[in-house]
Amino acid sequence: MEQGFPPNHPGDWARIEGERSILNPTQLTLLESWECSRDADQIMDTLKNMIPEFKGVHQTLAEIVEVDTQTEWVDTILSKVL
């Protein structure tokens, strides 16, 4: 969404990591690093590693639509999950 592409467009996930990927090299590296098994501990570790990127995207999208980021609210929600 940050790059102006609609979310969940048909076929996105089929090519997200391929040659036609719309992601930049840094994003592709992050996506690869977030792969995990079904182990609960590994899932939680991966989730924790995703939080900085989630917050960055949240900030960018909030600026685009000109709304408050409500960072305290986001932190409260994430603390309930973690």
PDB file of all heavy atoms in Angstrom, residues 42-73:
ATOM      1  N   GLN A  42       8.283 -19.753  18.019  1.00  0.00           N
ATOM      2  CA  GLN A  42       8.853 -19.179  16.798  1.00  0.00           C
ATOM      3  C   GLN A  42       7.882 -18.170  16.172  1.00  0.00           C
ATOM      4  O   GLN A  42       8.311 -17.130  15.667  1.00  0.00           O
ATOM      5  CB  GLN A  42       9.205 -20.276  15.804  1.00  0.00           C
ATOM      6  CG  GLN A  42      10.016 -19.750  14.632  1.00  0.00           C
ATOM      7  CD  GLN A  42      10.445 -20.833  13.674  1.00  0.00           C
ATOM      8  OE1 GLN A  42       9.884 -21.923  13.646  1.00  0.00           O
ATOM      9  NE2 GLN A  42      11.454 -20.533  12.876  1.00  0.00           N
ATOM     10  N   ILE A  43       6.602 -18.450  16.225  1.00  0.00           N
ATOM     11  CA  ILE A  43       5.599 -17.517  15.714  1.00  0.00           C
ATOM     12  C   ILE A  43       5.664 -16.210  16.495  1.00  0.00           C
ATOM     13  O   ILE A  43       5.649 -15.115  15.908  1.00  0.00           O
ATOM     14  CB  ILE A  43       4.185 -18.132  15.770  1.00  0.00           C
ATOM     15  CG1 ILE A  43       4.068 -19.254  14.745  1.00  0.00           C
ATOM     16  CG2 ILE A  43       3.119 -17.061  15.529  1.00  0.00           C
ATOM     17  CD1 ILE A  43       2.812 -20.090  14.884  1.00  0.00           C
ATOM     18  N   MET A  44       5.748 -16.296  17.816  1.00  0.00           N
ATOM     19  CA  MET A  44       5.820 -15.081  18.630  1.00  0.00           C
ATOM     20  C   MET A  44       7.101 -14.298  18.365  1.00  0.00           C
ATOM     21  O   MET A  44       7.085 -13.069  18.291  1.00  0.00           O
ATOM     22  CB  MET A  44       5.694 -15.424  20.118  1.00  0.00           C
ATOM     23  CG  MET A  44       4.313 -15.941  20.502  1.00  0.00           C
ATOM     24  SD  MET A  44       2.957 -14.838  20.050  1.00  0.00           S
ATOM     25  CE  MET A  44       3.230 -13.495  21.176  1.00  0.00           C
ATOM     26  N   ASP A  45       8.218 -14.995  18.195  1.00  0.00           N
ATOM     27  CA  ASP A  45       9.475 -14.317  17.874  1.00  0.00           C
ATOM     28  C   ASP A  45       9.382 -13.600  16.526  1.00  0.00           C
ATOM     29  O   ASP A  45       9.832 -12.463  16.376  1.00  0.00           O
ATOM     30  CB  ASP A  45      10.638 -15.311  17.853  1.00  0.00           C
ATOM     31  CG  ASP A  45      11.022 -15.809  19.238  1.00  0.00           C
ATOM     32  OD1 ASP A  45      10.648 -15.139  20.237  1.00  0.00           O
ATOM     33  OD2 ASP A  45      11.680 -16.858  19.319  1.00  0.00           O
ATOM     34  N   THR A  46       8.779 -14.272  15.562  1.00  0.00           N
ATOM     35  CA  THR A  46       8.620 -13.668  14.234  1.00  0.00           C
ATOM     36  C   THR A  46       7.706 -12.458  14.317  1.00  0.00           C
ATOM     37  O   THR A  46       7.989 -11.407  13.720  1.00  0.00           O
ATOM     38  CB  THR A  46       8.053 -14.707  13.240  1.00  0.00           C
ATOM     39  OG1 THR A  46       8.948 -15.827  13.187  1.00  0.00           O
ATOM     40  CG2 THR A  46       7.903 -14.119  11.851  1.00  0.00           C
ATOM     41  N   LEU A  47       6.634 -12.568  15.067  1.00  0.00           N
ATOM     42  CA  LEU A  47       5.714 -11.444  15.253  1.00  0.00           C
ATOM     43  C   LEU A  47       6.441 -10.243  15.859  1.00  0.00           C
ATOM     44  O   LEU A  47       6.285  -9.110  15.400  1.00  0.00           O
ATOM     45  CB  LEU A  47       4.538 -11.857  16.129  1.00  0.00           C
ATOM     46  CG  LEU A  47       3.515 -10.778  16.472  1.00  0.00           C
ATOM     47  CD1 LEU A  47       2.866 -10.227  15.209  1.00  0.00           C
ATOM     48  CD2 LEU A  47       2.471 -11.319  17.409  1.00  0.00           C
ATOM     49  N   LYS A  48       7.247 -10.495  16.873  1.00  0.00           N
ATOM     50  CA  LYS A  48       8.010  -9.409  17.500  1.00  0.00           C
ATOM     51  C   LYS A  48       8.943  -8.734  16.496  1.00  0.00           C
ATOM     52  O   LYS A  48       9.121  -7.513  16.527  1.00  0.00           O
ATOM     53  CB  LYS A  48       8.815  -9.939  18.690  1.00  0.00           C
ATOM     54  CG  LYS A  48       7.965 -10.304  19.874  1.00  0.00           C
ATOM     55  CD  LYS A  48       8.792 -10.942  20.980  1.00  0.00           C
ATOM     56  CE  LYS A  48       7.905 -11.481  22.083  1.00  0.00           C
ATOM     57  NZ  LYS A  48       8.665 -12.226  23.093  1.00  0.00           N
ATOM     58  N   ASN A  49       9.521  -9.533  15.598  1.00  0.00           N
ATOM     59  CA  ASN A  49      10.409  -8.973  14.580  1.00  0.00           C
ATOM     60  C   ASN A  49       9.654  -8.147  13.536  1.00  0.00           C
ATOM     61  O   ASN A  49      10.246  -7.287  12.888  1.00  0.00           O
ATOM     62  CB  ASN A  49      11.190 -10.089  13.886  1.00  0.00           C
ATOM     63  CG  ASN A  49      12.205 -10.743  14.787  1.00  0.00           C
ATOM     64  OD1 ASN A  49      12.711 -10.123  15.722  1.00  0.00           O
ATOM     65  ND2 ASN A  49      12.510 -12.001  14.538  1.00  0.00           N
ATOM     66  N   MET A  50       8.375  -8.394  13.377  1.00  0.00           N
ATOM     67  CA  MET A  50       7.558  -7.657  12.402  1.00  0.00           C
ATOM     68  C   MET A  50       7.076  -6.307  12.924  1.00  0.00           C
ATOM     69  O   MET A  50       6.718  -5.426  12.142  1.00  0.00           O
ATOM     70  CB  MET A  50       6.327  -8.487  12.014  1.00  0.00           C
ATOM     71  CG  MET A  50       6.616  -9.694  11.216  1.00  0.00           C
ATOM     72  SD  MET A  50       5.055 -10.571  10.946  1.00  0.00           S
ATOM     73  CE  MET A  50       5.506 -11.590   9.575  1.00  0.00           C
ATOM     74  N   ILE A  51       7.057  -6.127  14.222  1.00  0.00           N
ATOM     75  CA  ILE A  51       6.468  -4.927  14.820  1.00  0.00           C
ATOM     76  C   ILE A  51       7.087  -3.624  14.320  1.00  0.00           C
ATOM     77  O   ILE A  51       6.341  -2.707  13.958  1.00  0.00           O
ATOM     78  CB  ILE A  51       6.470  -5.022  16.359  1.00  0.00           C
ATOM     79  CG1 ILE A  51       5.448  -6.071  16.785  1.00  0.00           C
ATOM     80  CG2 ILE A  51       6.176  -3.680  17.000  1.00  0.00           C
ATOM     81  CD1 ILE A  51       5.450  -6.390  18.260  1.00  0.00           C
ATOM     82  N   PRO A  52       8.411  -3.501  14.238  1.00  0.00           N
ATOM     83  CA  PRO A  52       8.950  -2.228  13.744  1.00  0.00           C
ATOM     84  C   PRO A  52       8.475  -1.886  12.327  1.00  0.00           C
ATOM     85  O   PRO A  52       8.144  -0.735  12.036  1.00  0.00           O
ATOM     86  CB  PRO A  52      10.462  -2.436  13.780  1.00  0.00           C
ATOM     87  CG  PRO A  52      10.680  -3.495  14.809  1.00  0.00           C
ATOM     88  CD  PRO A  52       9.484  -4.390  14.705  1.00  0.00           C
ATOM     89  N   GLU A  53       8.413  -2.884  11.465  1.00  0.00           N
ATOM     90  CA  GLU A  53       7.943  -2.637  10.099  1.00  0.00           C
ATOM     91  C   GLU A  53       6.456  -2.290  10.097  1.00  0.00           C
ATOM     92  O   GLU A  53       6.015  -1.395   9.382  1.00  0.00           O
ATOM     93  CB  GLU A  53       8.218  -3.861   9.220  1.00  0.00           C
ATOM     94  CG  GLU A  53       7.912  -3.641   7.764  1.00  0.00           C
ATOM     95  CD  GLU A  53       8.826  -2.640   7.078  1.00  0.00           C
ATOM     96  OE1 GLU A  53       9.896  -2.300   7.612  1.00  0.00           O
ATOM     97  OE2 GLU A  53       8.449  -2.176   5.986  1.00  0.00           O
ATOM     98  N   PHE A  54       5.671  -2.999  10.919  1.00  0.00           N
ATOM     99  CA  PHE A  54       4.247  -2.695  11.028  1.00  0.00           C
ATOM    100  C   PHE A  54       4.034  -1.248  11.458  1.00  0.00           C
ATOM    101  O   PHE A  54       3.224  -0.525  10.876  1.00  0.00           O
ATOM    102  CB  PHE A  54       3.564  -3.638  12.030  1.00  0.00           C
ATOM    103  CG  PHE A  54       2.172  -3.220  12.372  1.00  0.00           C
ATOM    104  CD1 PHE A  54       1.120  -3.510  11.532  1.00  0.00           C
ATOM    105  CD2 PHE A  54       1.918  -2.498  13.535  1.00  0.00           C
ATOM    106  CE1 PHE A  54      -0.176  -3.093  11.836  1.00  0.00           C
ATOM    107  CE2 PHE A  54       0.633  -2.081  13.853  1.00  0.00           C
ATOM    108  CZ  PHE A  54      -0.414  -2.384  13.002  1.00  0.00           C
ATOM    109  N   LYS A  55       4.781  -0.818  12.468  1.00  0.00           N
ATOM    110  CA  LYS A  55       4.627   0.551  12.959  1.00  0.00           C
ATOM    111  C   LYS A  55       5.033   1.578  11.899  1.00  0.00           C
ATOM    112  O   LYS A  55       4.407   2.634  11.779  1.00  0.00           O
ATOM    113  CB  LYS A  55       5.440   0.757  14.239  1.00  0.00           C
ATOM    114  CG  LYS A  55       4.822   0.070  15.441  1.00  0.00           C
ATOM    115  CD  LYS A  55       5.635   0.342  16.695  1.00  0.00           C
ATOM    116  CE  LYS A  55       4.967  -0.208  17.932  1.00  0.00           C
ATOM    117  NZ  LYS A  55       5.717   0.114  19.150  1.00  0.00           N
ATOM    118  N   GLY A  56       6.054   1.258  11.133  1.00  0.00           N
ATOM    119  CA  GLY A  56       6.469   2.161  10.064  1.00  0.00           C
ATOM    120  C   GLY A  56       5.415   2.289   8.980  1.00  0.00           C
ATOM    121  O   GLY A  56       5.107   3.401   8.516  1.00  0.00           O
ATOM    122  N   VAL A  57       4.842   1.172   8.580  1.00  0.00           N
ATOM    123  CA  VAL A  57       3.779   1.196   7.572  1.00  0.00           C
ATOM    124  C   VAL A  57       2.555   1.917   8.124  1.00  0.00           C
ATOM    125  O   VAL A  57       1.924   2.723   7.432  1.00  0.00           O
ATOM    126  CB  VAL A  57       3.419  -0.240   7.113  1.00  0.00           C
ATOM    127  CG1 VAL A  57       2.169  -0.253   6.254  1.00  0.00           C
ATOM    128  CG2 VAL A  57       4.587  -0.855   6.364  1.00  0.00           C
ATOM    129  N   HIS A  58       2.231   1.650   9.377  1.00  0.00           N
ATOM    130  CA  HIS A  58       1.099   2.317  10.029  1.00  0.00           C
ATOM    131  C   HIS A  58       1.291   3.834  10.007  1.00  0.00           C
ATOM    132  O   HIS A  58       0.367   4.582   9.672  1.00  0.00           O
ATOM    133  CB  HIS A  58       0.963   1.806  11.464  1.00  0.00           C
ATOM    134  CG  HIS A  58      -0.075   2.498  12.266  1.00  0.00           C
ATOM    135  ND1 HIS A  58      -1.420   2.357  12.022  1.00  0.00           N
ATOM    136  CD2 HIS A  58       0.032   3.363  13.311  1.00  0.00           C
ATOM    137  CE1 HIS A  58      -2.101   3.097  12.890  1.00  0.00           C
ATOM    138  NE2 HIS A  58      -1.239   3.716  13.678  1.00  0.00           N
ATOM    139  N   GLN A  59       2.485   4.289  10.332  1.00  0.00           N
ATOM    140  CA  GLN A  59       2.802   5.722  10.337  1.00  0.00           C
ATOM    141  C   GLN A  59       2.637   6.314   8.935  1.00  0.00           C
ATOM    142  O   GLN A  59       2.003   7.357   8.757  1.00  0.00           O
ATOM    143  CB  GLN A  59       4.241   5.933  10.831  1.00  0.00           C
ATOM    144  CG  GLN A  59       4.725   7.358  10.761  1.00  0.00           C
ATOM    145  CD  GLN A  59       4.119   8.254  11.823  1.00  0.00           C
ATOM    146  OE1 GLN A  59       3.860   7.792  12.930  1.00  0.00           O
ATOM    147  NE2 GLN A  59       3.888   9.497  11.490  1.00  0.00           N
ATOM    148  N   THR A  60       3.193   5.641   7.952  1.00  0.00           N
ATOM    149  CA  THR A  60       3.118   6.128   6.570  1.00  0.00           C
ATOM    150  C   THR A  60       1.679   6.215   6.082  1.00  0.00           C
ATOM    151  O   THR A  60       1.269   7.222   5.496  1.00  0.00           O
ATOM    152  CB  THR A  60       3.939   5.214   5.642  1.00  0.00           C
ATOM    153  OG1 THR A  60       5.295   5.216   6.075  1.00  0.00           O
ATOM    154  CG2 THR A  60       3.865   5.678   4.198  1.00  0.00           C
ATOM    155  N   LEU A  61       0.898   5.166   6.326  1.00  0.00           N
ATOM    156  CA  LEU A  61      -0.491   5.159   5.871  1.00  0.00           C
ATOM    157  C   LEU A  61      -1.324   6.211   6.603  1.00  0.00           C
ATOM    158  O   LEU A  61      -2.183   6.860   5.996  1.00  0.00           O
ATOM    159  CB  LEU A  61      -1.115   3.774   6.038  1.00  0.00           C
ATOM    160  CG  LEU A  61      -0.489   2.680   5.160  1.00  0.00           C
ATOM    161  CD1 LEU A  61      -1.110   1.326   5.489  1.00  0.00           C
ATOM    162  CD2 LEU A  61      -0.636   3.005   3.694  1.00  0.00           C
ATOM    163  N   ALA A  62      -1.056   6.404   7.882  1.00  0.00           N
ATOM    164  CA  ALA A  62      -1.771   7.440   8.645  1.00  0.00           C
ATOM    165  C   ALA A  62      -1.474   8.824   8.074  1.00  0.00           C
ATOM    166  O   ALA A  62      -2.375   9.670   7.965  1.00  0.00           O
ATOM    167  CB  ALA A  62      -1.390   7.377  10.119  1.00  0.00           C
ATOM    168  N   GLU A  63      -0.240   9.062   7.687  1.00  0.00           N
ATOM    169  CA  GLU A  63       0.116  10.348   7.087  1.00  0.00           C
ATOM    170  C   GLU A  63      -0.575  10.537   5.740  1.00  0.00           C
ATOM    171  O   GLU A  63      -1.046  11.634   5.434  1.00  0.00           O
ATOM    172  CB  GLU A  63       1.638  10.447   6.921  1.00  0.00           C
ATOM    173  CG  GLU A  63       2.369  10.594   8.242  1.00  0.00           C
ATOM    174  CD  GLU A  63       3.873  10.475   8.111  1.00  0.00           C
ATOM    175  OE1 GLU A  63       4.391  10.368   6.962  1.00  0.00           O
ATOM    176  OE2 GLU A  63       4.547  10.481   9.153  1.00  0.00           O
ATOM    177  N   ILE A  64      -0.647   9.471   4.954  1.00  0.00           N
ATOM    178  CA  ILE A  64      -1.287   9.557   3.631  1.00  0.00           C
ATOM    179  C   ILE A  64      -2.754   9.936   3.762  1.00  0.00           C
ATOM    180  O   ILE A  64      -3.256  10.771   3.006  1.00  0.00           O
ATOM    181  CB  ILE A  64      -1.128   8.226   2.860  1.00  0.00           C
ATOM    182  CG1 ILE A  64       0.335   8.047   2.440  1.00  0.00           C
ATOM    183  CG2 ILE A  64      -2.046   8.184   1.638  1.00  0.00           C
ATOM    184  CD1 ILE A  64       0.656   6.675   1.887  1.00  0.00           C
ATOM    185  N   VAL A  65      -3.458   9.329   4.720  1.00  0.00           N
ATOM    186  CA  VAL A  65      -4.886   9.610   4.876  1.00  0.00           C
ATOM    187  C   VAL A  65      -5.148  10.714   5.894  1.00  0.00           C
ATOM    188  O   VAL A  65      -6.294  11.011   6.215  1.00  0.00           O
ATOM    189  CB  VAL A  65      -5.701   8.335   5.229  1.00  0.00           C
ATOM    190  CG1 VAL A  65      -5.623   7.334   4.097  1.00  0.00           C
ATOM    191  CG2 VAL A  65      -5.247   7.720   6.530  1.00  0.00           C
ATOM    192  N   GLU A  66      -4.055  11.298   6.398  1.00  0.00           N
ATOM    193  CA  GLU A  66      -4.124  12.444   7.303  1.00  0.00           C
ATOM    194  C   GLU A  66      -4.946  12.181   8.569  1.00  0.00           C
ATOM    195  O   GLU A  66      -5.875  12.914   8.897  1.00  0.00           O
ATOM    196  CB  GLU A  66      -4.648  13.674   6.560  1.00  0.00           C
ATOM    197  CG  GLU A  66      -3.768  14.086   5.393  1.00  0.00           C
ATOM    198  CD  GLU A  66      -4.310  15.252   4.597  1.00  0.00           C
ATOM    199  OE1 GLU A  66      -5.451  15.698   4.849  1.00  0.00           O
ATOM    200  OE2 GLU A  66      -3.585  15.720   3.707  1.00  0.00           O
ATOM    201  N   VAL A  67      -4.580  11.085   9.251  1.00  0.00           N
ATOM    202  CA  VAL A  67      -5.188  10.773  10.547  1.00  0.00           C
ATOM    203  C   VAL A  67      -4.088  10.612  11.585  1.00  0.00           C
ATOM    204  O   VAL A  67      -2.931  10.344  11.254  1.00  0.00           O
ATOM    205  CB  VAL A  67      -6.069   9.494  10.512  1.00  0.00           C
ATOM    206  CG1 VAL A  67      -7.236   9.662   9.552  1.00  0.00           C
ATOM    207  CG2 VAL A  67      -5.250   8.280  10.155  1.00  0.00           C
ATOM    208  N   ASP A  68      -4.452  10.746  12.848  1.00  0.00           N
ATOM    209  CA  ASP A  68      -3.510  10.566  13.947  1.00  0.00           C
ATOM    210  C   ASP A  68      -3.092   9.099  14.011  1.00  0.00           C
ATOM    211  O   ASP A  68      -3.921   8.204  13.863  1.00  0.00           O
ATOM    212  CB  ASP A  68      -4.163  10.998  15.261  1.00  0.00           C
ATOM    213  CG  ASP A  68      -3.237  10.846  16.447  1.00  0.00           C
ATOM    214  OD1 ASP A  68      -2.026  11.084  16.285  1.00  0.00           O
ATOM    215  OD2 ASP A  68      -3.722  10.498  17.541  1.00  0.00           O
ATOM    216  N   THR A  69      -1.823   8.853  14.262  1.00  0.00           N
ATOM    217  CA  THR A  69      -1.327   7.474  14.309  1.00  0.00           C
ATOM    218  C   THR A  69      -1.758   6.734  15.566  1.00  0.00           C
ATOM    219  O   THR A  69      -1.744   5.508  15.583  1.00  0.00           O
ATOM    220  CB  THR A  69       0.205   7.431  14.237  1.00  0.00           C
ATOM    221  OG1 THR A  69       0.735   8.204  15.308  1.00  0.00           O
ATOM    222  CG2 THR A  69       0.704   7.938  12.910  1.00  0.00           C
ATOM    223  N   GLN A  70      -2.108   7.452  16.612  1.00  0.00           N
ATOM    224  CA  GLN A  70      -2.534   6.842  17.874  1.00  0.00           C
ATOM    225  C   GLN A  70      -1.541   5.761  18.327  1.00  0.00           C
ATOM    226  O   GLN A  70      -1.904   4.619  18.608  1.00  0.00           O
ATOM    227  CB  GLN A  70      -3.938   6.269  17.755  1.00  0.00           C
ATOM    228  CG  GLN A  70      -4.979   7.319  17.414  1.00  0.00           C
ATOM    229  CD  GLN A  70      -6.382   6.757  17.329  1.00  0.00           C
ATOM    230  OE1 GLN A  70      -6.594   5.546  17.384  1.00  0.00           O
ATOM    231  NE2 GLN A  70      -7.348   7.632  17.185  1.00  0.00           N
ATOM    232  N   THR A  71      -0.276   6.147  18.416  1.00  0.00           N
ATOM    233  CA  THR A  71       0.777   5.190  18.755  1.00  0.00           C
ATOM    234  C   THR A  71       0.558   4.511  20.100  1.00  0.00           C
ATOM    235  O   THR A  71       0.866   3.330  20.256  1.00  0.00           O
ATOM    236  CB  THR A  71       2.164   5.863  18.725  1.00  0.00           C
ATOM    237  OG1 THR A  71       2.142   7.008  19.563  1.00  0.00           O
ATOM    238  CG2 THR A  71       2.557   6.256  17.324  1.00  0.00           C
ATOM    239  N   GLU A  72       0.019   5.237  21.073  1.00  0.00           N
ATOM    240  CA  GLU A  72      -0.236   4.623  22.386  1.00  0.00           C
ATOM    241  C   GLU A  72      -1.287   3.521  22.264  1.00  0.00           C
ATOM    242  O   GLU A  72      -1.181   2.473  22.904  1.00  0.00           O
ATOM    243  CB  GLU A  72      -0.681   5.673  23.387  1.00  0.00           C
ATOM    244  CG  GLU A  72       0.418   6.654  23.745  1.00  0.00           C
ATOM    245  CD  GLU A  72      -0.074   7.798  24.618  1.00  0.00           C
ATOM    246  OE1 GLU A  72      -1.247   7.783  25.034  1.00  0.00           O
ATOM    247  OE2 GLU A  72       0.731   8.697  24.875  1.00  0.00           O
ATOM    248  N   TRP A  73      -2.301   3.757  21.446  1.00  0.00           N
ATOM    249  CA  TRP A  73      -3.356   2.779  21.210  1.00  0.00           C
ATOM    250  C   TRP A  73      -2.768   1.533  20.548  1.00  0.00           C
ATOM    251  O   TRP A  73      -3.060   0.400  20.943  1.00  0.00           O
ATOM    252  CB  TRP A  73      -4.439   3.425  20.347  1.00  0.00           C
ATOM    253  CG  TRP A  73      -5.623   2.583  20.050  1.00  0.00           C
ATOM    254  CD1 TRP A  73      -6.573   2.157  20.924  1.00  0.00           C
ATOM    255  CD2 TRP A  73      -6.014   2.084  18.763  1.00  0.00           C
ATOM    256  NE1 TRP A  73      -7.536   1.418  20.265  1.00  0.00           N
ATOM    257  CE2 TRP A  73      -7.207   1.365  18.934  1.00  0.00           C
ATOM    258  CE3 TRP A  73      -5.469   2.183  17.494  1.00  0.00           C
ATOM    259  CZ2 TRP A  73      -7.856   0.743  17.879  1.00  0.00           C
ATOM    260  CZ3 TRP A  73      -6.123   1.568  16.446  1.00  0.00           C
ATOM    261  CH2 TRP A  73      -7.298   0.859  16.650  1.00  0.00           C
TER     262      TRP A  73
END
